[in-house]
Amino acid sequence: MRTVYTHCIAHAKRCGVDRPRSAGTDIGRPCGREFRQGHPEAGNSRGGAGLGRSPPAGVGATIRLPTLTTADMSLTSTAALADLTGPAPRDDGLAIVYIDASLLLVNKPAGLLSVPGRGEDKQDCLARRVQAEYPDALIVHRLDMATSGLLVLARGKAMQRRLSTQFANRQVDKRYVAVVNGLPPLASGEIDLPLAADWPNRPRQKVDRLAGKPSRTRYQVLSHDPVANTTRLALWPDTGRTHQLRVHLLAIGHPIVGDGLYAEAGGAACAAGERLLLHAESLAFAHPETARPMAFCCPAPF
């Protein structure tokens, strides 16, 4: 059993999805303590005209984050990780957003691994559920287990290579939606902080200015809830580091609501939600067979 949705470019544009960016987005400048912010006007709702497109990079003021000491390099303590895996969500059938002979897009539920993990209890995953119905489906990219949203699979190795090349060359437009604690000081900004694995606390990641890989995230405020003191953000990761969005937002003092993995560093508000309030809302890329621009939108369930 499966649920099939059909989305076209016209529908996706209502979610603010642009066509894929050209290859070679320049992110090669040095990564310091910059938290660059612009000043576009924010909307008052989840969506809103003009809020779907990424804010211009490198525009606006620069706010310096406090200098971290060696002891601060890890954003978490060395305490043992809690058991955050839990059972996979019930298999109620695939939520297919789009399918053709070359690829398929699925709306991954929160709490489901993208690919199998280590151990018998971590074999249920989106890839295997899809392959049970479409044996030629191959994974192209991944979402964190706790993250929901759009995930594309290729049909056959040739299509997998072509789609993987687009991801590697940063030719895929990806937009996420998150609800975070607090309100960023300005309506849009850029977080440019290098990230590395926090080896004593794996699978956690950390800001590491000495050995971290360049990592950049752009954000834009969509709405603010003054009662709950939470803010809905649109997020554009220019790089694809593990837990990038989660660690970047935590590092600037606005952890994603419901993030149990980083709850200790983010405080009580970080773990307040029933699930991680992070959703891969839109994808735009070129069809691997025809090169036709494709854009898809799957609104967040929160």
Side-chain angles (χ1 to χ4, degrees):
M1 177 181 177
R2 66 178 186 271
T3 304
V4 179
Y5 305 91
T6 57
H7 287 239
C8 63
I9 292 180
H11 172 84
K13 284 182 177 177
R14 290 199 292 271
C15 290
V17 185
D18 284 330
R19 289 189 177 188
R21 294 188 301 271
S22 59
T25 300
D26 181 16
I27 60 166
R29 66 185 183 284
C31 290
R33 295 189 294 272
E34 289 79 13
F35 175 31
R36 300 182 179 88
Q37 297 178 306
H39 303 260
E41 189 173 314
N44 296 317
S45 63
R46 289 189 178 188
L51 289 180
R53 292 174 173 79
S54 56
V59 176
T62 298
I63 294 179
R64 300 271 179 192
L65 294 179
T67 301
L68 298 182
T69 65
T70 302
D72 293 329
M73 285 297 184
S74 172
L75 296 176
T76 62
S77 75
T78 56
L81 287 174
D83 180 11
L84 299 171
T85 56
R90 186 177 66 184
D91 187 356
D92 291 324
L94 302 175
I96 296 179
V97 176
Y98 175 86
I99 185 170
D100 65 20
S102 301
L103 62 94
L104 57 89
L105 268 83
V106 181
N107 181 18
K108 186 187 87 67
L112 182 65
L113 291 166
S114 295
V115 296
R118 295 179 181 177
E120 290 301 318
D121 59 332
K122 298 180 181 64
Q123 297 307 297
D124 186 12
C125 63
L126 183 72
R128 288 194 167 168
R129 289 185 183 185
V130 172
Q131 288 166 353
E133 294 194 38
Y134 303 97
D136 60 346
L138 299 172
I139 205 79
V140 174
H141 65 118
R142 305 180 188 185
L143 295 176
D144 292 347
M145 181 184 73
T147 303
S148 59
L150 289 173
L151 192 142
V152 61
L153 295 94
R155 303 193 68 179
K157 290 187 178 297
M159 297 300 104
Q160 184 188 41
R161 284 192 297 270
R162 294 178 188 179
L163 284 169
S164 296
T165 297
Q166 291 189 52
F167 276 90
N169 291 339
R170 297 175 188 153
Q171 294 172 307
V172 178
D173 249 0
K174 297 174 286 185
R175 178 178 122 150
Y176 291 73
V177 170
V179 176
V180 302
N181 183 47
L183 175 66
L186 293 174
S188 69
E190 179 180 304
I191 308 167
D192 197 346
L193 294 169
L195 301 179
D198 185 2
W199 289 107
N201 297 303
R202 291 280 288 170
R204 291 169 174 160
Q205 308 293 304
K206 64 179 181 179
V207 174
D208 188 337
R209 295 187 178 90
L210 298 178
K213 295 181 179 180
S215 308
R216 186 172 72 177
T217 299
R218 288 168 290 141
Y219 78 88
Q220 188 165 351
V221 171
L222 299 179
S223 62
H224 177 62
D225 182 345
V227 176
N229 190 29
T230 58
T231 301
R232 178 176 292 266
L233 299 178
L235 301 165
W236 293 267
D238 286 341
T239 50
R241 312 303 180 200
T242 301
H243 298 173
Q244 175 176 318
L245 301 178
R246 299 160 74 172
V247 178
H248 269 175
L249 290 167
L250 177 64
I252 66 167
H254 299 287
I256 300 177
V257 173
D259 194 345
L261 184 60
Y262 294 98
E264 185 176 341
C270 190
E274 294 182 358
R275 55 153 290 186
L276 175 71
L277 297 188
L278 177 63
H279 179 79
E281 183 181 60
S282 69
L283 279 175
F285 53 90
H287 192 280
E289 181 66 32
T290 66
R292 177 171 59 92
M294 308 186 76
F296 302 92
C297 178
C298 181
F302 50 81

